[in-house]
Amino acid sequence: MRRLTALIAALALLATACGSDEGTTATLPDEGDTIILQTAYEGGFAPVEFILNQMPQHTLYADGRLVSQGPQPAIFPGPMLPSMQQVNIGDAAMAEVLAIVDDIGLPTTTDETNTEAAAVVADASDAVAYYYDETGTHRYAVYALGIVETADPHVAGMRSLFDTLDVLAVESPSAGEYVAERVQVLATQSFVDENEPGATLEPWPLAARPADLSEVADLGVSCTVLEGDEATAALTVFADADQMTFWDYEGVSYRILARPLFENEVGCEW
């Protein structure tokens, strides 16, 4: 049973207009709290800890909730935690998004990357879309999206998807505060000059010692996932921190990066 009869009708009309074949179009699951679509920017030229801390740009649930990264204030140092916002896009917008998913061909794609732009630009990130249905995960990525003009309709669909979700995240009604139940925390040893403008040194904020965190390969980065009361306590502390906050543990200073984890993410695994 579909979520709403009106949404079924809208999807059917869009599928007919696009000439989609039966069985290859995006659909909605019965459970409204199921994540059906995520977009992200992955990779690129950045410190390894920032790449490991990258999170989805947009996360869309079957009930129409859209969680996305909101704008950051134009100040330095900026807040430590990413800005998160949650809206409800409504049935018509949901139908529009799923039609774009069909245009990209995500329901029939397993894992594909367009690398046309690699010949003209280096160290760019991949713009990635993940669509989830009963058959599994469908991934399509475009390297350096928007840098190179292409006739590939799937790339045009990706630009439309990111643009559409950006607009919906701003213009749709609020769906209430987004509260993360789990948090990924990354820590690296980092020298701090307390005379540097904006730099502060605070006591180590976690119950676990730095040595108790899991080392990520040989990258000099350690990771842990916090849940429940630990996650709530850490988020409270991190909310008052910024990008120039360092953390002291027995005379050793650390930089910490943290981000919420969605229900379909494990954390600390790459």
Side-chain angles (χ1 to χ4, degrees):
M1 181 176 180
R2 299 293 183 204
R3 182 162 53 92
L4 289 172
T5 302
L7 182 54
I8 303 175
L11 286 172
L13 287 173
L14 283 167
T16 301
C18 296
S20 299
D21 295 329
E22 184 178 358
T24 63
T25 57
T27 58
L28 290 177
D30 294 334
E31 299 79 14
D33 59 353
T34 300
I35 293 174
I36 61 169
L37 179 71
Q38 287 180 308
T39 66
Y41 292 102
E42 298 178 352
F45 183 71
V48 63
E49 61 268 27
F50 286 92
I51 292 176
L52 296 177
N53 198 56
Q54 287 174 328
M55 63 178 299
Q57 185 75 10
H58 309 97
T59 298
L60 180 62
Y61 291 82
D63 61 7
R65 284 177 295 132
L66 175 65
V67 181
S68 58
Q69 297 185 51
Q72 291 287 100
I75 59 173
F76 182 83
M80 174 183 171
L81 293 174
S83 170
M84 303 299 296
Q85 57 189 22
Q86 181 174 234
V87 299
N88 195 322
I89 68 172
D91 296 336
M94 175 68 85
E96 179 185 2
V97 169
L98 294 184
I100 298 172
V101 167
D102 287 339
D103 290 341
I104 298 170
L106 276 167
T108 57
T109 298
T110 301
D111 189 353
E112 184 178 336
T113 301
N114 181 297
T115 59
E116 290 181 61
V120 296
V121 61
D123 300 325
S125 60
D126 289 327
V128 189
Y130 295 93
Y131 169 67
Y132 309 100
D133 63 14
E134 67 277 2
T135 67
T137 300
H138 307 267
R139 178 186 183 274
Y140 184 74
V142 181
Y143 177 74
L145 179 66
I147 299 297
V148 175
E149 291 298 325
T150 174
D152 189 335
H154 303 99
V155 175
M158 286 286 283
R159 295 184 67 172
S160 178
L161 179 64
F162 276 72
D163 290 345
T164 298
L165 292 174
D166 282 342
V167 171
L168 289 173
V170 173
E171 297 184 352
S172 302
S174 172
E177 181 183 5
Y178 173 75
V179 180
E181 296 184 357
R182 297 181 301 136
V183 180
Q184 175 180 280
V185 176
L186 298 171
T188 59
Q189 288 190 28
S190 182
F191 172 76
V192 53
D193 182 353
E194 295 186 60
N195 295 317
E196 186 174 351
T200 59
L201 186 62
E202 302 292 337
W204 179 254
L206 306 181
R209 304 172 303 164
D212 295 331
L213 276 58
S214 301
E215 185 175 356
V216 181
D218 295 318
L219 300 176
V221 181
S222 297
C223 184
T224 190
V225 173
L226 305 179
E227 301 183 18
D229 291 342
E230 281 190 308
T232 300
L235 288 172
T236 300
V237 174
F238 295 157
D240 293 328
D242 59 38
Q243 294 168 338
M244 288 299 292
T245 301
F246 295 81
W247 310 89
D248 174 78
Y249 185 83
E250 296 184 348
V252 179
S253 59
Y254 292 83
R255 180 186 293 276
I256 288 178
L257 296 176
R259 74 161 182 92
L261 288 172
F262 291 95
E263 297 92 315
N264 61 338
E265 296 182 296
V266 177
C268 296
E269 291 187 6
W270 295 272

